[in-house]
């Protein structure tokens, strides 16, 4: 039985639902879910087993389904988070500031109402899964690390939405305790799972960062293979991409898809690659070696020891890779060179066909393709 930890991340939360899809397919049994902010909201849906509703929620989320504001203001906020801070005029920043000051934050009634519709407190309490999250009480000026049994009946919605109440969002007028996003204290509450005695944990990040090590605990970390975008930019296209990325990153962690930056459905073993290279003719070796080998050095030994390492050096990647890693490095270089979509699965044959082009004579791409064809057979 695993503990599942979901980090905070705002609009990046679709990534976690993509991971959830992979965990479902892998039939991994979860006994505990803890999270912060959007991780807490996703966690509640996980405990309720509302996968389809979670997908629908993320595909429907956009700025005006999160914030209550006029369309001009919504458009200005969208522009900030989609195009960058310095591509918005100062007048819009003044409008946003004035709105926040006058209303004590942005009214998030649309999001609040949607979450309340989806939230089923009784199901959560009866699920058999330990569920907890982190929020911060402004009244008490202290963080709250809560499990479901710590929260009074019929009040979970207030605490749960409080966990995701980022600065600038208005408080719930119907509840006396005021909250702020739990991420200011602990956005990745792995300690809550450890304190509950879980030794096997799946921890899902929403950032690309160096991961902390924990002694005596087996933690499987899943984190984004590229940046997920702004934490406050709710956008359907971003959500679709982040859902798929979460799914594929998780499958890669569990060895169901392969590759380094890309995702491949199949692979050749070390022995298969060596066997393919061992069948090369002298003409093929000459053709693929470029200026690396001289006339008298067209041997298989030099393909392994000089041609492939020299090509990797030109590509500015480490030379001491396994042959399987080398295959992916070479193929992915050409995929990137040809600007082939990354967040998608390919067979090796499909990927090779996409990069099988006429490259400039003596270009590194040309030699890379020749070596790949030899390796992949």
């Amino acid at each position: 039985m695993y503990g599942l930890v979901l980090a905070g991340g705002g609009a990046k939360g679709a990534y976690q639902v993509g991971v959830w899809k992979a965990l479902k397919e892998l039939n991994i049994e979860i006994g505990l879910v803890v999270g912060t902010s959007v991780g807490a909201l996703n966690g509640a849906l996980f405990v309720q087993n509302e996968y389809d509703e979670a997908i629908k929620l993320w595909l429907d989320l956009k700025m005006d389904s999160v914030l209550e504001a006029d369309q001009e203001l919504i458009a200005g906020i969208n522009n900030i988070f989609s195009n960058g801070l310095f591509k918005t005029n100062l007048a819009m920043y003044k409008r946003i500031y004035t709105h926040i000051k006058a209303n004590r934050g942005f009214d998030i009634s649309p999001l609040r109402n949607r979450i309340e519709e989806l939230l089923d407190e009784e199901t959560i309490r009866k699920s058999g899964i330990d569920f907890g999250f982190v929020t911060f009480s402004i009244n008490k000026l202290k963080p709250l690390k809560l499990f479901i049994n710590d929260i009074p009946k019929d009040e979970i919605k207030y605490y749960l939405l409080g966990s995701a109440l980022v600065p600038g969002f208005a408080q719930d007028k119907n509840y006396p305790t005021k909250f702020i996003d739990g991420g200011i204290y602990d956005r990745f509450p792995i300690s809550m799972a450890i304190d509950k005695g879980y030794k096997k944990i799946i921890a899902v990040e929403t950032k690309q960062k160096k991961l902390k090590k924990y002694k005596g605990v087996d933690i499987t970390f899943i984190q984004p293979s590229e940046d997920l975008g702004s934490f406050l930019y709710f956008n359907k296209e971003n959500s679709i991409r982040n859902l798929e990325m979460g799914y594929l990153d998780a499958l890669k962690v569990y060895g169901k898809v392969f590759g380094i930056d890309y995702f491949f459905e199949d692979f050749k073993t070390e022995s298969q690659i060596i066997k393919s290279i061992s069948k090369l003719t002298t003409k093929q070796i000459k053709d693929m070696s470029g200026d690396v080998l001289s006339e008298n050095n067209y041997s298989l030994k030099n393909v392994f020891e000089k041609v492939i390492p020299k090509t990797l050096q030109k590509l500015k990647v480490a030379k001491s890779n396994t042959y399987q890693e080398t295959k992916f490095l070479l193929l992915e270089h050409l995929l990137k060179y040809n600007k082939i979509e990354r967040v998608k699965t390919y067979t090796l044959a499909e990927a090779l066909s996409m990069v099988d082009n006429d490259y400039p004579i003596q270009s590194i791409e040309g030699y890379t393709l020749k070596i790949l064809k030899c390796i992949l057979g």
Side-chain angles (χ1 to χ4, degrees):
M1 193 83 76
Y2 285 83
L4 176 65
V5 183
L6 304 174
K12 304 177 185 184
Y15 181 84
Q16 297 172 343
V17 181
V19 173
W20 181 2
K21 179 183 177 182
L23 298 181
K24 280 166 56 71
E25 290 184 6
L26 295 166
N27 294 314
I28 293 175
E29 192 173 359
I30 303 296
L32 168 143
V33 179
V34 291
T36 298
S37 192
V38 74
L41 299 179
N42 282 333
L45 296 177
F46 187 103
V47 174
Q48 290 180 204
N49 197 27
E50 294 281 7
Y51 170 75
D52 291 338
E53 288 294 342
I55 291 286
K56 187 175 185 304
L57 171 68
W58 280 102
L59 295 185
D60 288 346
L61 275 183
K62 49 188 179 180
M63 293 306 296
D64 58 6
S65 61
V66 175
L67 308 176
E68 187 73 60
D70 66 68
Q71 289 304 306
E72 184 180 353
L73 199 57
I74 292 289
I77 296 167
N78 266 327
N79 186 54
I80 290 171
F81 291 114
S82 60
N83 299 318
L85 294 174
F86 301 108
K87 293 188 177 180
T88 301
N89 61 54
L90 289 175
M92 178 54 66
Y93 282 113
K94 186 176 180 179
R95 274 208 64 191
I96 292 171
Y97 171 77
T98 301
H99 181 94
I100 291 174
K101 186 177 180 181
N103 297 279
R104 295 188 176 182
F106 277 107
D107 181 358
I108 58 165
S109 293
L111 177 62
R112 201 182 295 280
N113 293 338
R114 184 74 179 108
I115 295 299
E116 288 183 15
E117 286 174 11
L118 292 174
L119 201 61
D120 187 335
E121 182 174 332
E122 185 177 1
T123 297
I124 291 174
R125 291 187 184 276
K126 293 181 178 179
S127 68
I129 297 175
D130 281 334
F131 175 53
F133 53 88
V134 181
T135 186
F136 193 96
S137 169
I138 294 175
N139 303 58
K140 297 179 180 179
L141 289 178
K142 62 182 287 188
L144 304 175
K145 298 169 74 171
L146 304 169
F147 281 91
I148 191 68
N149 290 334
D150 301 322
I151 301 171
K153 191 174 183 300
D154 298 327
E155 296 185 17
I156 185 174
K157 63 183 181 181
Y158 301 113
Y159 286 84
L160 192 61
L161 279 160
S163 178
L165 206 64
V166 300
F169 285 180
Q171 296 289 329
D172 190 330
K173 298 175 183 177
N174 298 317
Y175 197 68
T177 302
K178 305 306 176 187
F179 302 98
I180 198 166
D181 194 298
I184 69 166
Y185 175 71
D186 186 357
R187 59 172 297 278
F188 203 12
I190 293 172
S191 62
M192 289 184 72
I194 295 173
D195 291 345
K196 275 284 187 178
Y198 278 79
K199 299 297 183 183
K200 295 194 295 184
I201 295 170
I202 299 166
V204 186
E205 249 297 5
T206 55
K207 290 182 178 181
Q208 293 177 301
K209 59 181 293 185
K210 186 176 180 180
L211 299 168
K212 184 178 176 181
K213 294 182 179 180
Y214 294 81
K215 289 184 179 180
V217 185
D218 178 14
I219 301 182
T220 300
F221 284 103
I222 301 171
Q223 65 175 341
S225 49
E226 70 179 43
D227 184 74
L228 298 177
S230 169
F231 82 105
L232 277 178
Y233 183 44
F234 294 89
N235 171 274
K236 184 174 181 177
E237 289 182 2
N238 279 14
S239 290
I240 290 172
R241 184 174 180 81
N242 291 346
L243 280 162
E244 186 66 10
M245 198 189 312
Y247 174 64
L248 294 176
D249 285 343
L251 289 183
K252 186 181 286 186
V253 166
Y254 284 98
K256 300 301 181 182
V257 296
F258 314 94
I260 297 170
D261 291 329
Y262 280 75
F263 305 92
F264 303 100
E265 297 172 6
D266 56 344
F267 68 97
K268 284 184 176 289
T269 64
E270 300 279 300
S271 59
Q272 287 174 322
I273 292 171
I274 292 171
K275 186 176 180 181
S276 295
I277 295 175
S278 298
K279 292 179 179 179
L280 295 176
T281 65
T282 301
K283 183 179 183 305
Q284 286 175 311
I285 294 172
K286 178 180 179 180
D287 191 39
M288 66 186 272
S289 64
D291 59 359
V292 176
L293 300 179
S294 61
E295 190 73 32
N296 299 321
N297 291 313
Y298 297 136
S299 66
L300 288 173
K301 180 175 183 290
N302 283 331
V303 170
F304 288 110
E305 295 181 359
K306 294 183 178 180
V307 175
I308 293 176
K310 188 69 174 178
T311 303
L312 292 172
Q313 185 180 44
K314 288 182 178 180
L315 295 178
K316 296 181 180 179
V317 293
K319 292 185 287 184
S320 57
N321 301 288
T322 64
Y323 287 114
Q324 194 174 139
E325 289 170 336
T326 294
K327 164 199 63 189
F328 289 131
L329 286 166
L330 297 173
L331 180 53
E332 290 183 11
H333 170 77
L334 292 180
L335 289 170
K336 292 172 185 175
Y337 181 84
N338 286 279
K339 298 181 180 178
I340 303 299
E341 169 60 38
R342 190 187 74 84
V343 186
K344 185 179 177 182
T345 56
Y346 302 97
T347 65
L348 292 175
E350 285 172 342
L352 185 60
S353 70
M354 291 178 175
V355 300
D356 190 1
N357 302 322
D358 290 327
Y359 297 102
I361 296 174
Q362 295 187 344
S363 69
I364 184 61
E365 285 71 36
Y367 290 124
T368 298
L369 179 62
K370 289 173 185 176
I371 294 172
L372 263 177
K373 286 184 173 181
C374 294
I375 288 177
L376 298 179

